[in-house]
Amino acid sequence: MSAPPRVLAIAGSDSSGGAGIQADLKTIAMLGGYGMTAITAITAQNTRGVQAVVTLSAELVEAQIESCLSDIGADAIKIGMLGSPAIAHVVARLLKSFSGSIVFDPVMVATSGGVLADDDTIAAFAPLMDIATLVTPNLPELTALTGMPVGTHESVAAAAHMLVEQHSCTVLAKGGHAEGDRVLDMLVLADGDFANFDDPRIETRHTHGTGCTLSSAVATLLAHGQPLTNAVRLARRFVRAAIEHAPGFGDGSGPLGHQAVRTPT
């Protein structure tokens, strides 16, 4: 029996279990990976919002990452909520020579509306995008990273291409925040090629942790050896199935049903 691929998730903790490290570990496990964590912040949150946040020290985050990589190692790394510019710089420095895949979800605001990254932290995202295999911004995050409004398909493409050119990474621009009865995600590869993913919108309030789940799914599938475009395709399928199997918990933006979904790799 072969060993599972090793995936390190660097992100914040969500006490309600719907997003962050908790969603990452559920996703990695359901996709057949071995999950490890470096926790950047502890949040008190639920489906209604974020009630409190304590960001950990950059030194402790560094120690967690080094503990995992120096012993067990990793085949892929997912980066989510960072919490401070100091943590962002430490993560970029530690992973500069990492040889596996890096998926960076530039988390700024929780699905429930809580702000998870200030302006200084967002400014520190640049070196992480420089080393990332894939960056997965939603449309508000894409605007924050580029300064470009993204109200049309053409403007999304232009903003995504800007990030690709500036950072030599692949960008998945997630279209869930756009209006309409369909969700269009655009993948712009580092070599300039692109792919569009177009699906009917699932009408539901249970979308807490979709970005975390998608990015950790892509990281796990890349660790399994999937080509990037196919990893994104399978990860999107996993997320949609998890939304469809949402347990219905909470009064606000509820969690996904990770426990009900397995995607063959």
Side-chain angles (χ1 to χ4, degrees), residues 122-244:
I122 294 169
F125 286 173
L128 289 166
M129 291 189 285
D130 288 339
I131 63 173
T133 307
L134 176 68
V135 182
T136 63
N138 59 33
L139 297 188
E141 291 163 351
L142 187 59
T143 292
L145 292 171
T146 63
M148 298 177 63
V150 289
T152 65
H153 180 76
E154 291 76 17
S155 61
V156 171
H161 277 285
M162 175 186 290
L163 284 186
V164 170
E165 292 171 0
Q166 289 177 341
H167 301 285
S168 300
C169 59
T170 294
V171 172
L172 176 65
K174 302 176 296 189
H177 284 75
E179 300 293 331
D181 58 2
R182 301 192 69 84
V183 175
L184 177 64
D185 295 346
M186 180 182 298
L187 182 69
V188 181
L189 284 81
D191 62 6
D193 199 5
F194 69 94
N196 289 323
F197 302 93
D198 185 2
D199 290 291
R201 185 180 298 274
I202 301 171
E203 294 299 333
T204 179
R205 64 181 175 85
H206 300 292
T207 58
H208 184 52
T210 49
C212 306
T213 299
L214 179 66
S215 54
S216 54
V218 174
T220 307
L221 291 160
L222 289 172
H224 273 292
Q226 289 285 346
L228 181 53
T229 300
N230 200 47
V232 171
R233 181 178 295 108
L234 290 172
R236 292 181 78 259
R237 186 186 304 169
F238 180 89
V239 172
R240 289 182 63 82
I243 293 173
E244 291 170 344

Side-chain angles (χ1 to χ4, degrees), residues 13-56:
S13 170
D14 173 2
S15 57
S16 69
I21 285 292
Q22 287 81 353
D24 294 334
L25 288 177
K26 293 172 187 177
T27 300
I28 294 164
M30 293 305 289
L31 290 174
Y34 177 81
M36 299 167 286
T37 64
I39 297 174
T40 59
I42 299 171
T43 72
Q45 66 175 290
N46 53 31
T47 66
R48 300 171 183 170
V50 179
Q51 290 78 46
V53 179
V54 174
T55 301
L56 302 184

Side-chain angles (χ1 to χ4, degrees), residues 6 34 36 67-74:
R6 305 156 298 173
Y34 177 81
M36 299 167 286
S67 291
C68 293
L69 296 183
S70 66
D71 180 24
I72 293 175

